[in-house]
Amino acid sequence: MASVKNIENLVAARKSLKISLEKSKTLAFALEKAGPRLEEINQRLPSLEFAVRPIRAPKEALVAVGGHIDQAVGPAAAVLKVFDAVHGLEKSLLSDPRFDLPGYLSVLKRLEEALHFLADNCELAIQWLEDIVEYLEDNSVADDKYLSNLKKSLKILRELQNNEELACLDGGLLEAAFDKLEAEFRRLLTENSVPLPMSSSSSLGEQACIAPSPLPVPVIQKLHAIIGRLTANNRLEKCISIYVEIRSSNVRASLQALNLDYLEISLSEFNDVQSIEGHIAQWGKHLEFAVKHLFEAEYKLCNDVFEKIGLDVWMGCFAKIAAQAGILAFLQFGKTVTDSKKDPIKLLKLLDIFTSLNKLRLDFNRLFGGKACLEIQTLTRELIKRVIDGASEIFWELLAQVELQRQTPPPSDGSVPRLVSFITDYCNRLLGDHYRPILTQVLVIDRSWKQEKFQEGLLTDAILNIIKAIELNLETWSKAYEDTTLSYIFMMNYHWHFYKHLKGTKLGDLLGDALLREHEQYKEYYAAVYLRESWGKLPAHLSREGLILFSGGRATARDLVKKRLKAFNEAFDDIYNKQSKWVMSERDLREKTCQLAVQAIVPVYRSYMQNYGPLVEQDSSASKYAKYTAPSLEKMLSSLFQPKLGKYGSSKGSHLNGKIDNVVTNKLRSSPTVK
């Protein structure tokens, strides 16, 4: 029994050992399999420890952190929401504003409001985020690495906020929108700026009405809206630049039809005022047109477009347009004329320039009176001063220039010197209704600048002195002729010229009828003396003394007739050849003088030849003595004193109603005191 029990115990022990071995194997396998997992767990333990570290923070810090985070996240979320709204506006603002300008401006205003919100709240959101980061760091509630990344991000946000402000908040969308508004501003101006139509420059004087505002009201309203938005964002200067560029170009295009190339002429390109007097006449018309039609319209338009911005702005804008469009070129041309050589014709042209400027004085003061037009004001004042100084100087020097001509020789043909006809016509123009008030005004201003009083008769006294100097010149010249008969012709021409051309004129009225009648009487006197001392001596050669026609004395009579006809012919030829070179420009004087010569000679010659001509006509040498017939003598005498075209001594065509011969003006500026 005992052995059986032992065997059972052994079997049971063996079974138990076997089970233990199996468990040991299983455990060994399990341990072998758990090794890598334990290693993995060992590696993850530091990060797990890092993740659960906040849980180990003080309880009070863990409780308070939620409120801090909520306070920081609220503004940040609002900022992000506005950012999303800004991006939503991008499509509308990148479209063309011409199709719906009010809608475009409304969207732009929303963008500006959003950007102002971002500008005001981004700072607050960043500050609160910085505060929560600081709290997390102080209370060790967050990982250091996490906090470091947060700090870097907040630093970038802070730098952007401080350096770029609005531009960084919209990605340049606002600037792009402003650029589109400026482009629309330019388009509206360009498409609605049309040069003023003109048929021709000759019709300028007929365009008396002032040009209306050249932009439609709806266009101006759109410009107002654009200017308002751009001004509010410091873009006004760009607006003004665009406006000045387009409007000044439009004015230049309007003026281009007038052919204003002459405004650029330099002093070296012309000899004297006469060579450009046509340009000076056009200058006055063109300047008046530019001021009254073009600059007047631009002045009003600048006011209409920029009135809400302020007086200084729109006046400054107008000043730039006027300067760039050409007003300075007009003033420079006037200055160039004042720099030219001085001569009498220049005085008239300076008075014309003064007339044009004086006519536009009120317009200039109104349009260019602001401080923005200082350059235009300065150039205008300088031009007026140069015109007045130059005109006064030429006028007061005229007497001296006339006196200087006294030393020159008289015309060789006895005609009226060009200087005389020029000066008399010239003085008549100065006394005329057109120039007299202008010259008087110029002299009054000149005297006032010199602190001198203008006497009422100053102008007329000066002109009378000039005429007296001319008369003295003529008296001096008449004595310079070696042939006294020619001096009589000269004096006849001179006195008749004065009487005929001054009677009924302003200068004639100034001299008086009595003086003019004296000139007529002097002409008659010199005509009688001339006839007596020249042709009046010829009848004496046709004496009848000793001519007794009887048979025994016929040969003697023939010899006397031949001798006397020969002497007559020689005397006639001598006088005729000499006087055929002399000139009487006035037809009535010439015909009357020739008629007197005919009456003095032809009747006597005809009678003589009728009585004694047969004595020589039958002679073989008859043509030698009966050289002339009465009709041939009359024809020859009637052909005397004809004007020689182009002859210096001729006064024909020398009046101031046309181009004055340069000979006169050159002589009048021959003094060293004259430029």
Side-chain angles (χ1 to χ4, degrees):
M1 289 291 294
S3 60
V4 171
K5 190 175 182 176
N6 288 333
I7 292 171
E8 290 178 349
N9 287 336
L10 287 171
V11 171
R14 184 177 67 82
K15 187 177 180 179
S16 177
L17 284 172
K18 187 177 179 180
I19 291 171
S20 295
L21 286 173
E22 290 294 331
K23 287 182 178 179
S24 295
K25 288 180 181 180
T26 301
L27 181 60
F29 179 77
L31 287 174
E32 183 180 357
K33 189 176 181 180
R37 293 182 62 194
L38 290 175
E39 181 64 27
E40 181 181 352
I41 291 172
N42 186 53
Q43 291 177 354
R44 292 177 60 191
L45 280 177
S47 61
L48 291 173
E49 181 183 10
F50 180 80
V52 300
R53 183 181 298 171
I55 302 175
R56 292 156 51 194
K59 182 178 180 181
E60 297 79 5
L62 290 174
V63 171
V65 73
H68 285 289
I69 292 174
D70 290 341
Q71 282 185 335
V73 170
V79 167
L80 290 175
K81 186 176 181 180
V82 173
F83 264 120
D84 289 339
V86 167
H87 291 146
L89 301 176
E90 183 173 350
K91 182 178 180 180
S92 298
L93 291 175
L94 293 180
S95 64
D96 195 332
R98 78 169 68 187
F99 302 110
D100 182 15
L101 182 61
Y104 190 91
L105 292 173
S106 176
V107 174
L108 178 59
K109 187 175 182 181
R110 287 168 55 192
L111 174 63
E112 291 180 45
E113 291 173 350
L115 293 178
H116 282 117
F117 175 85
L118 293 176
D120 294 339
N121 290 277
C122 278
E123 172 71 22
L124 181 61
I126 293 172
Q127 182 63 50
W128 282 350
L129 289 173
E130 288 176 342
D131 290 345
I132 189 59
V133 169
E134 184 179 353
Y135 180 85
L136 293 174
E137 185 177 31
D138 292 344
N139 292 275
S140 301
V141 177
D143 173 47
D144 291 340
K145 186 176 181 181
Y146 174 74
L147 291 176
S148 176
N149 290 335
L150 280 178
K151 286 181 180 181
K152 289 180 181 179
S153 298
L154 289 174
K155 182 179 180 182
I156 293 172
L157 287 175
R158 175 67 69 185
E159 289 176 352
L160 292 175
Q161 177 71 15
N162 292 337
N163 295 336
E164 298 295 335
E165 294 183 341
L166 296 180
C168 288
L169 301 177
D170 68 338
L173 181 59
L174 184 63
E175 288 297 312
F178 288 153
D179 290 342
K180 285 189 170 292
L181 276 185
E182 289 173 354
E184 176 64 5
F185 187 81
R186 178 183 291 276
R187 185 193 69 81
L188 287 171
L189 283 173
T190 302
E191 293 183 0
N192 292 278
S193 295
V194 181
L196 192 63
M198 289 175 291
S199 56
S200 67
S201 59
S202 61
S203 63
L204 292 182
E206 301 172 6
Q207 301 186 31
C209 61
I210 303 300
S213 178
L215 292 185
V217 172
V219 173
I220 293 179
Q221 291 173 344
K222 290 182 179 180
L223 295 178
H224 282 166
I226 294 175
I227 291 172
R229 289 266 43 87
L230 293 177
T231 301
N233 290 275
N234 300 317
R235 307 264 300 218
L236 177 61
E237 285 302 319
K238 187 63 181 295
C239 258
I240 292 176
S241 176
I242 294 172
Y243 185 89
V244 169
E245 173 194 342
I246 294 174
R247 294 306 303 177
S248 61
S249 175
N250 190 67
V251 175
R252 287 195 300 272
S254 298
L255 290 172
Q256 189 173 7
L258 302 180
N259 190 19
L260 299 179
D261 293 342
Y262 68 87
L263 294 179
E264 305 299 327
I265 193 170
S266 64
L267 195 60
S268 61
E269 293 180 70
F270 63 96
N271 296 324
D272 50 44
V273 170
Q274 278 185 260
S275 61
I276 61 166
E277 61 179 327
H279 293 324
I280 297 173
Q282 288 297 307
W283 176 85
K285 295 179 182 179
H286 293 163
L287 178 61
E288 181 177 0
F289 173 79
V291 170
K292 288 187 174 291
H293 291 265
L294 300 178
F295 293 127
E296 175 73 29
E298 293 305 321
Y299 180 85
K300 291 180 178 179
L301 186 60
C302 282
N303 180 33
D304 291 343
V305 174
F306 293 100
E307 181 181 15
K308 295 180 180 179
I309 308 301
L311 177 66
D312 290 343
V313 171
W314 73 261
M315 280 296 291
C317 187
F318 170 72
K320 292 176 182 177
I321 291 173
Q324 294 182 22
I327 188 65
L328 300 181
F330 277 103
L331 298 175
Q332 179 59 44
F333 176 80
K335 179 180 179 297
T336 301
V337 174
T338 63
D339 287 334
S340 63
K341 297 176 181 178
K342 288 191 293 186
D343 60 48
I345 302 303
K346 180 181 176 181
L347 170 57
L348 301 181
K349 298 301 110 182
L350 291 179
L351 294 179
D352 288 341
I353 291 176
F354 180 82
T355 300
S356 298
L357 293 174
N358 194 48
K359 185 178 180 180
L360 297 172
R361 178 170 54 87
L362 296 179
D363 297 286
F364 262 74
N365 289 341
R366 180 170 51 84
L367 298 179
F368 309 116
K371 60 183 180 181
C373 297
L374 183 60
E375 182 181 9
I376 297 174
Q377 295 168 23
T378 301
L379 290 177
T380 304
R381 282 194 295 268
E382 289 179 355
L383 176 57
I384 292 174
K385 186 177 188 310
R386 295 170 72 92
V387 167
I388 291 176
D389 288 345
S392 300
E393 186 176 358
I394 293 173
F395 178 74
W396 294 121
E397 285 183 358
L398 191 57
L399 174 61
Q401 298 308 311
V402 170
E403 292 174 340
L404 282 174
Q405 302 310 310
R406 198 170 299 157
Q407 303 169 8
T408 62
S412 61
D413 57 10
S415 63
V416 177
R418 288 187 183 275
L419 174 67
V420 175
S421 57
F422 175 86
I423 291 296
T424 53
D425 287 345
Y426 185 77
C427 290
N428 254 325
R429 294 192 71 177
L430 294 181
L431 291 171
D433 295 335
H434 176 66
Y435 281 116
R436 181 168 183 168
I438 303 168
L439 179 57
T440 300
Q441 186 178 358
V442 166
L443 296 178
V444 168
I445 296 173
D446 180 61
R447 290 273 170 162
S448 67
W449 287 349
K450 297 175 180 177
Q451 306 298 317
E452 299 175 4
K453 187 176 181 180
F454 179 80
Q455 301 297 327
E456 189 63 30
L458 196 62
L459 173 60
T460 54
D461 288 346
I463 290 180
L464 285 174
N465 288 334
I466 291 172
I467 297 303
K468 290 177 182 178
I470 284 287
E471 291 178 335
L472 186 55
N473 284 4
L474 291 166
E475 294 290 343
T476 303
W477 289 332
S478 70
K479 298 173 183 177
Y481 288 109
E482 295 181 1
D483 190 329
T484 55
T485 307
L486 179 55
S487 72
Y488 301 147
I489 292 289
F490 178 76
M491 294 303 282
M492 288 167 61
N493 276 324
Y494 145 48
H495 286 293
W496 186 246
H497 177 85
F498 264 58
Y499 174 77
K500 181 178 179 180
H501 290 287
L502 299 187
K503 186 178 181 179
T505 66
K506 297 293 184 180
L507 181 56
D509 294 341
L510 179 63
L511 295 174
D513 289 339
L515 182 60
L516 293 180
R517 283 195 296 271
E518 285 183 14
H519 281 293
E520 184 183 24
Q521 292 166 2
Y522 273 118
K523 185 272 295 183
E524 297 292 342
Y525 167 76
Y526 283 110
V529 174
Y530 156 75
L531 189 62
R532 185 184 71 230
E533 296 298 324
S534 59
W535 302 112
K537 294 180 178 181
L538 263 64
H541 293 291
L542 301 178
S543 172
R544 300 181 182 225
E545 184 179 354
L547 297 178
I548 302 175
L549 299 179
F550 55 88
S551 59
R554 195 170 187 84
T556 303
R558 182 184 297 111
D559 291 339
L560 284 174
V561 170
K562 286 183 177 180
K563 181 179 180 181
R564 289 171 182 174
L565 283 175
K566 181 179 180 183
F568 174 86
N569 291 338
E570 290 176 352
F572 179 87
D573 290 344
D574 180 60
I575 296 174
Y576 181 82
N577 290 334
K578 186 186 302 181
Q579 296 193 15
S580 62
K581 299 176 183 178
W582 299 350
V583 170
M584 285 185 179
S585 300
E586 303 299 336
R587 180 177 179 180
D588 50 357
L589 177 62
R590 180 172 64 250
E591 290 180 350
K592 185 175 182 180
T593 304
C594 290
Q595 187 61 33
L596 289 175
V598 169
Q599 292 173 359
I601 298 174
V602 174
V604 175
Y605 185 80
R606 180 183 292 112
S607 174
Y608 191 83
M609 292 301 291
Q610 286 175 350
N611 291 321
Y612 305 109
L615 291 175
V616 297
E617 287 173 355
Q618 297 176 0
D619 194 281
S620 60
S621 59
S623 60
K624 181 178 179 182
Y625 302 104
K627 187 175 181 180
Y628 301 107
T629 63
S632 67
L633 283 180
E634 183 174 358
K635 184 177 180 181
M636 292 177 68
L637 290 172
S638 298
S639 68
L640 288 172
F641 313 124
Q642 295 294 326
K644 310 301 189 296
L645 295 178
K647 187 77 173 177
Y648 167 78
S650 174
S651 63
K652 186 175 182 179
S654 65
H655 301 302
L656 287 174
N657 58 355
K659 189 97 171 177
I660 302 300
D661 197 335
N662 285 330
V663 173
V664 178
T665 51
N666 286 337
K667 286 169 69 68
L668 282 174
R669 60 167 176 255
S670 61
S671 167
T673 61
V674 180
K675 292 180 182 178

